[in-house]
């Protein structure tokens, strides 16, 4: 009985906490978006020019047709991974696939948190918030020190390292997760590799290739689970 | 005043600094609140601290990569906008592509500094900003409903009552499927697969573009070694740094291979 009471209290407390995060998150995103849009108009006003409406609409059409569907899919896929707080923060601070998602997954793995639990949401939010703070501070320091840092960061010797941060990240993570569940990984890996070899559009648009790769993996994972052949992941 | 002086003016740094400062404060607020909520629901303080420490270490190398992106972008768009774009909502792989599309949409040959002006900058920056807001707008309008639907809840915080409490002799509830967990791990495997396959595809079509694949392979090999090492209780601590160390060694390998070949 005592355990049930504690569980009810925990869930009630957590629901109330999440409601506060929703409010805070919406205000935070709203204010930031208005400020970022205002930036372009303020710059225009500083130099007596205005953004071109036709140029904006034409550019937005070309950009939106690609990136809005991608954004919707990213939202549908990543929001459940990140939970309430993690989603607001990650979609505000960006760099989702190359930083926030791997960071949150790594934190979840180390903490042993299970999806859909309050603990998982807390770990995700703490992880994404910490990651965003560290990135913001590094970028701020980098911008302040841009003049002395520029020769080092743009040096030809170190260029291969900085150009290959993302391959290093996904090489390390790929191995970790392939070992976790090779049964899910094998077929999508073979199919995606063949597609990338023979279809240039697939290998050149990784953000879109994620969708079929992810759907295949989810389908195989669910199927194996239903057949009782997946084991614990 | 030429274009680059205009887009690097102190006033722009102040505006961007204020926006990023606001975002930073919000991140701290979310961090503190979540930490306290974690303690309130009975989570171990050591686990929460470990999450902070580990996430900070994990973030350093990718952030340096993002900083290189800021420097690359600043050549055409100035440091303030580049700083803002990659600190708030932006993504390294998105910015240059979108800036180029926007520049062409206003009649330029591309994102070319010699053709840019303050007016073109205002339009390009507006397209870059509005074009990437999709995910954030989904969060504002749909996040609550979407997560509730996935969690199978009608409304949050339904008060528990004796009426809806299960009877003591009722059959044990069926064990919940771990489908969410499977979907999450599977989606992440899909994410890794999309990237790694693209490196293989690129290499297969142009062997001189071997560095991304080589870097990924070295990172994977080092991670394999760390995973084996962490099975020994004396080296369990390696788990906390395995991704960051694997990346660092793989990036060092990329420098060596880039210099040698």
């Amino acid at each position: 009985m005592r355990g049930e009471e504690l569980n009810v209290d925990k869930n009630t407390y957590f629901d109330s906490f999440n409601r506060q995060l929703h409010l805070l998150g919406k205000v935070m995103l709203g204010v930031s978006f208005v400020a970022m849009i205002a930036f372009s108009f303020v710059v225009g006003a500083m130099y007596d020019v205005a953004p071109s409406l036709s140029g904006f609409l034409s550019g937005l059409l070309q950009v939106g047709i690609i990136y809005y569907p991608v954004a919707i899919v990213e939202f549908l896929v990543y929001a459940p991974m990140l939970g309430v707080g993690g989603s607001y923060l990650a979609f505000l601070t960006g760099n989702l696939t190359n930083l926030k998602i791997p960071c949150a997954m790594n934190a979840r793995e180390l903490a042993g948190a299970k999806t859909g639990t309050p603990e998982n949401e807390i770990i995700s939010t703490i992880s994404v918030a910490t990651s965003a703070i560290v990135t913001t501070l590094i970028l701020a320091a980098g911008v302040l020190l841009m003049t002395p840092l520029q020769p080092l960061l743009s040096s030809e010797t170190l260029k291969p390292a900085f150009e290959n941060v993302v391959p290093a990240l996904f090489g390390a993570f790929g191995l970790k997760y392939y070992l976790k569940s090779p049964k899910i990984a094998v077929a999508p890996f073979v199919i995606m590799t063949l597609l990338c070899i023979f279809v240039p559009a697939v290998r050149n648009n990784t953000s879109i290739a994620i969708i079929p790769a992810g759907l295949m993996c989810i389908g195989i994972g669910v199927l194996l689970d239903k057949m009782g052949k997946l084991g614990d992941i | 005043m030429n274009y680059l002086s205009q887009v690097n003016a102190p006033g722009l740094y102040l505006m961007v600094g204020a926006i990023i400062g606001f975002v930073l404060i919000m991140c701290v607020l979310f961090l503190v609140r979540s930490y306290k909520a974690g303690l309130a629901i009975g989570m171990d303080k050591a686990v929460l601290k470990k999450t902070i420490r580990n996430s900070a270490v994990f973030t350093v190398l990718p952030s340096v990569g993002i900083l290189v992106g800021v420097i690359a972008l600043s050549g055409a768009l100035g440091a303030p906008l580049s700083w803002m774009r990659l600190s708030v909502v932006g993504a390294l792989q998105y910015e240059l592509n979108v800036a180029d599309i926007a520049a062409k949409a206003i009649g330029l040959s591309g994102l070319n500094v010699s053709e840019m002006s303050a007016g073109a900058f205002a339009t390009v920056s507006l397209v870059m900003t509005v074009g990437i807001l999709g995910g954030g707008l989904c969060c504002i309008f749909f996040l609550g409903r979407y997560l509730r639907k996935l969690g199978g809840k009608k409304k949050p915080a339904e008060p528990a009552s004796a009426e809806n409490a299960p009877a003591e002799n009722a059959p044990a509830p069926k064990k919940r499927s771990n489908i969410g967990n499977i979907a999450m791990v599977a989606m992440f495997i899909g994410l890794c697969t999309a990237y790694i396959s693209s490196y293989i595809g690129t290499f297969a079509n142009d062997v001189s573009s071997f560095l991304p694949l080589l870097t990924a392979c070295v990172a994977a090999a080092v991670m394999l070694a760390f995973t084996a090492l962490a099975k020994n209780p004396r080296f369990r601590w390696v788990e906390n740094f395995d991704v960051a160390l694997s990346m660092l060694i793989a990036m060092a390998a990329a420098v060596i291979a880039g210099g040698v070949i």
Side-chain angles (χ1 to χ4, degrees):
Chain A
M1 273 313 270
R2 178 78 186 133
E4 275 176 22
E5 273 172 34
L6 272 177
N7 202 31
V8 168
D9 285 346
K10 182 167 123 178
N11 288 336
T12 309
Y13 171 85
F14 195 69
D15 281 341
S16 152
F17 168 70
N18 268 348
R19 275 202 301 276
Q20 289 172 21
L21 284 193
H22 274 300
L23 180 66
L24 199 61
K26 283 176 186 173
V27 171
M28 171 182 81
L29 282 175
V31 170
S32 306
F33 289 177
V34 169
M36 284 162 62
I37 291 169
F39 171 84
S40 302
F41 289 94
V42 174
V43 172
M46 279 170 67
Y47 299 115
D48 269 340
V49 289
S52 145
L53 182 63
S54 60
F56 167 70
L57 291 176
S58 161
L60 186 62
L61 187 71
Q62 293 175 56
V63 170
I65 213 160
I66 305 168
Y67 287 101
Y68 269 73
V70 170
I72 291 168
V73 173
E74 282 187 341
F75 167 76
L76 294 174
V77 171
Y78 298 137
M81 290 186 185
L82 296 166
V84 176
S87 294
Y88 283 115
L89 282 179
F91 280 98
L92 173 66
T93 55
N95 287 300
L96 262 105
T97 53
N98 58 331
L99 176 56
K100 301 298 186 323
I101 298 289
C103 187
M105 291 295 284
N106 191 46
R108 172 185 168 274
E109 173 97 15
L110 287 171
K114 287 281 175 197
T115 314
T117 59
E119 287 80 2
N120 185 51
E121 290 219 13
I122 296 281
I123 294 292
S124 290
T125 309
I126 289 178
S127 169
V128 174
T130 306
S131 178
I133 292 167
V134 171
T135 304
T136 306
L137 294 178
I138 288 177
L139 292 194
V143 169
L144 283 173
L145 301 170
M146 196 175 264
T147 311
L149 277 180
Q150 195 149 11
L152 177 73
L153 293 175
S154 348
S155 92
E156 282 301 314
T157 313
L158 293 181
K159 203 173 167 188
F162 296 127
E163 280 180 354
N164 289 290
V165 176
V166 176
L169 178 69
F170 284 108
F173 258 115
L175 190 277
K176 202 169 186 172
Y177 276 80
Y178 286 177
L179 286 181
K180 208 177 186 33
S181 190
K183 288 176 187 168
I184 292 180
V186 173
F189 179 78
V190 172
I191 294 169
M192 289 308 296
T193 300
L194 289 174
L195 278 173
C196 284
I197 290 173
F198 296 110
V199 186
V202 179
R203 68 170 172 272
N204 295 331
N205 292 291
T206 317
S207 55
I208 294 167
I210 290 166
I211 299 167
L215 290 176
M216 260 191 282
C217 290
I218 291 174
I220 293 169
V222 171
L223 195 68
L224 287 172
D225 184 53
K226 280 192 174 166
M227 292 161 68
K229 290 184 177 173
L230 186 61
D232 206 19
I233 61 171
Chain B
M1 200 179 198
N2 69 22
Y3 165 72
L4 279 177
S5 308
Q6 287 176 320
V7 297
N8 284 302
L12 273 68
Y13 276 101
L14 280 178
M15 268 192 286
V16 169
I19 294 170
I20 291 173
F22 170 75
V23 171
L24 190 61
I25 290 168
M26 296 314 287
C27 290
V28 173
L29 198 63
F30 269 71
L31 176 62
V32 171
R33 284 194 169 205
S34 298
Y35 186 88
K36 285 182 178 169
L39 293 179
I41 62 169
M43 289 178 77
D44 187 350
K45 195 184 256 187
V47 171
L48 299 175
K49 284 188 173 170
K50 185 174 151 188
T51 301
I52 295 175
R53 191 174 56 240
N54 205 274
S55 301
V57 171
F58 183 97
T59 303
V60 172
L61 282 177
S63 296
V64 176
I66 296 168
L67 176 60
V68 175
V70 172
I71 291 173
L73 208 58
S74 66
L77 294 170
L81 178 67
S82 311
W83 179 27
M84 180 172 81
R85 295 296 324 126
L86 288 173
S87 297
V88 190
V89 203
L92 205 50
Q93 61 270 43
Y94 165 91
E95 306 301 340
L96 269 175
N97 185 22
V98 171
D100 194 57
I101 292 173
K104 284 176 181 158
I106 53 172
L108 308 183
S109 63
L111 191 62
N112 191 338
V113 182
S114 60
E115 294 175 50
M116 288 290 282
S117 63
F121 174 83
T123 310
V124 169
S125 64
L126 193 60
V127 173
M128 289 171 77
T129 300
V130 178
I132 205 169
L133 298 186
L137 292 173
C138 286
C139 280
I140 292 177
F141 294 110
F142 307 116
L143 184 65
R145 267 178 287 173
Y146 178 52
L147 291 183
R148 269 202 301 278
K149 197 169 181 180
L150 285 186
K153 290 181 188 177
K154 290 185 196 99
K155 272 275 179 196
E158 278 181 358
S161 69
E163 281 167 36
N164 57 23
E168 280 190 26
N169 58 353
K174 201 176 163 189
K175 194 185 165 198
R176 278 192 67 179
S177 163
N178 61 345
I179 212 85
N181 204 41
I182 294 167
M184 191 160 90
V185 171
M187 187 62 214
F188 198 72
I189 291 174
L191 177 66
C192 297
T193 300
Y195 276 94
I196 294 168
S197 304
S198 77
Y199 306 144
I200 298 173
T202 305
F203 173 69
N205 283 277
D206 174 14
V207 285
S208 67
S209 302
F210 65 95
L211 269 183
L213 181 60
L214 176 86
T215 312
C217 288
V218 173
V222 178
M223 177 57 99
L224 187 65
F226 281 141
T227 306
L229 194 64
K231 284 181 182 157
N232 182 331
R234 279 195 305 156
F235 295 104
R236 184 70 46 81
W237 58 270
V238 167
E239 275 182 345
N240 293 322
F241 307 99
D242 55 3
V243 177
L245 286 174
S246 302
M247 287 174 67
L248 196 62
I249 294 169
M251 286 162 69
V255 170
I256 295 165
V260 171
I261 304 165

